[in-house]
Each structure stands twice: as C-alpha cells, then as structure tokens.
Amino acid sequence: MIFKTYTSFCQTIMFIDDNPIDTFIHTRLLKLSEFQGKQLVYDNCFAALDYLTCNQYVGELLPELIFVDLHLPLMSGLEFIEKIKALPGLIEKQCQVVVLSSTYPEPEMAFQMEKSGVWKILEKPLRLEDLKNIYEEVEGMRYAIAS
C-alpha cells in the first residue's frame, strides 16, 4: 500500500505519453499501488497543455505530479515543460514534473531539463520502486516544509 498516506498530498496525477503500451503499464501500476486519486491521461502535449491552461488558477483541478515522455511528436516533453512553466497560474507552485524516457538524456539535455524545473528524470517504464521513492521524497519535502 504505497499510496495509503500519499493520497492526502496527491489527488491527481497526469501522464503524457504517445505509446499506448507505456500508458497502460503506468496506469495499471498506479492501480496496483492502490492510488485512489484521479488520473489524467493524454497521448499528446497539446491536449495536456489545454487542460493545464484552462485550469491554471484552480488548484484542486491541477495534478500534483506530471509524468511526461521526453520524446513526443509535434511537441517534445521539454517544449511542454517550458510552456507550462511560462503560465502565470498555480502550476509552478503545485505541479512536480517527472520526465520519462526510454534512454537517459545526454548531459546537456538533462541540464536543460533541470534548468526548466524538472523534478526528476526516470527511465520508462515506471516501476513500483520508482513510485515508492517518489512517495518517500514527497513525504520528506512535506516534513521539511512543516518543520
């Protein structure tokens, strides 16, 4: 039960991936981890960006975690991150962005992602251990903020 206490922090998770197999794995993984929140699933950055733009001032509708594939057609994960970070609403304060990639990006690309505000870079597909580590880090951040 990884997310037993995590659901109080994370009510919504967004996945952006054009590969239906990866999307299936990730949504199934959340179900196996007993995550009880809402899952927003998009196969392209434009639809996800529309959702975030429309809801940028409504904190309860924004995801706390955004998992975005780095290599997407039409708009890359990095371009998506740069666009959402430019929005003036609550997104930067509320949303932690995790980049997913089948290969670890080159150092220059990883630096650019870090500069753009990416919280983590993880290899696809996610594993239960990845979610557990994210949970523990979020709990640590919550504890540090509360102290």
Side-chain angles (χ1 to χ4, degrees), residues 22 32 34 47 50 52 60 68 92 106 116 127 140 142 147:
D22 287 334
L32 289 172
E34 298 185 21
D50 283 346
L52 293 171
E60 59 271 7
V68 60
E92 185 148 1
E106 296 292 323
S116 295
R127 302 176 326 239
R142 288 177 64 203
S147 297

Side-chain angles (χ1 to χ4, degrees), residues 70 76-83 109 112-113 116 118:
L70 180 59
S76 74
L78 185 55
E79 291 171 316
F80 168 79
I81 292 160
E82 289 170 357
K83 288 192 181 297
M109 173 80 74
Q112 181 65 30
M113 285 188 279
S116 295
V118 169

Side-chain angles (χ1 to χ4, degrees), residues 34-54:
E34 298 185 21
F35 174 70
Q36 300 295 314
K38 183 178 180 181
Q39 294 181 44
L40 303 171
V41 180
Y42 296 96
D43 63 359
N44 68 78
C45 291
F46 290 105
L49 186 59
D50 283 346
Y51 177 86
L52 293 171
T53 301
C54 290

Side-chain angles (χ1 to χ4, degrees), residues 3 24-36 39 128 131:
F3 286 104
F24 174 78
I25 290 169
H26 296 148
T27 55
R28 182 74 177 133
L29 186 64
L30 280 182
K31 187 176 266 190
L32 289 172
S33 70
E34 298 185 21
F35 174 70
Q36 300 295 314
Q39 294 181 44
L128 203 52
L131 292 176

